[in-house]
Amino acid sequence: MQALAAPRQVMQAVQRFIALYSRPDLTWADLPRLRRATRLPILLKGILHPDDARRALDAGMDGIVVSNHGGRQVDGAVASLDMLAPVAEAVAGRVPVLFDGGIRTGSDVVKALALGASAVLLGRPYVYGLALAGEDGVRAVLQGLAAELDLTLALMGCPGLDGLDGSALVRHPAA
């Protein structure tokens, strides 16, 4: 059994992580400068409020990613799925709205698309496939997800993704 890292090593690792991935000095005011610095599309990730989506559009962003980063940054953060429809409504089709919120199955994809996502991000599952079987594992994960999506649509009586909207998720009272 391997010994735990010394407290000093743990602190160094945390400080290195913060230095690489955390930029608390960045603000909304930095977005126009970023927009001017590149012609590449910019997708702003971490949007969880309609007002923030509108603000991102005002700053020239090319797309929105609805995400709470796995809820890790703020314990008890609002669920990304709960905020998807209000954010998509605020964007009103002006830019793509991507959803990053624990997509694991075809029915997860259907829910996100029905709530207004233009596309979904597949976080960890492809990494699991990669770890287990390399490129073939990633292919298997994607093929499985596509098959589940097709099955979900078929069971809903939906011929395809076109026309999929929130009504697909509404429970209708028994007649």
Side-chain angles (χ1 to χ4, degrees), residues 118-171:
S118 308
V120 299
L121 303 179
L122 185 61
R124 294 180 187 103
Y126 86 89
V127 176
Y128 302 150
L130 184 64
L132 290 171
E135 182 181 336
D136 289 340
V138 173
R139 186 176 296 108
V141 167
L142 294 175
Q143 288 171 338
L145 184 67
E148 289 175 4
L149 174 59
D150 288 343
L151 178 60
T152 301
L153 291 171
L155 292 172
M156 294 171 58
C158 188
L161 298 175
D162 295 338
L164 190 61
D165 62 25
S167 66
L169 305 178
V170 175
R171 288 187 183 176

Side-chain angles (χ1 to χ4, degrees), residues 34-67:
L34 179 61
R35 176 71 285 159
R36 289 188 305 272
T38 183
R39 292 188 316 254
L40 294 171
I42 302 172
L43 305 179
L44 192 60
K45 184 179 179 188
I47 300 297
L48 290 171
H49 195 280
D51 291 342
D52 289 341
R54 286 186 281 270
R55 197 169 182 185
L57 292 178
D58 291 343
M61 300 298 99
D62 300 295
I64 301 296
V65 181
V66 176
S67 173

Side-chain angles (χ1 to χ4, degrees), residues 78-92:
V78 64
S80 301
L81 190 66
D82 290 340
M83 297 312 298
L84 177 56
V87 168
E89 186 177 321
V91 168

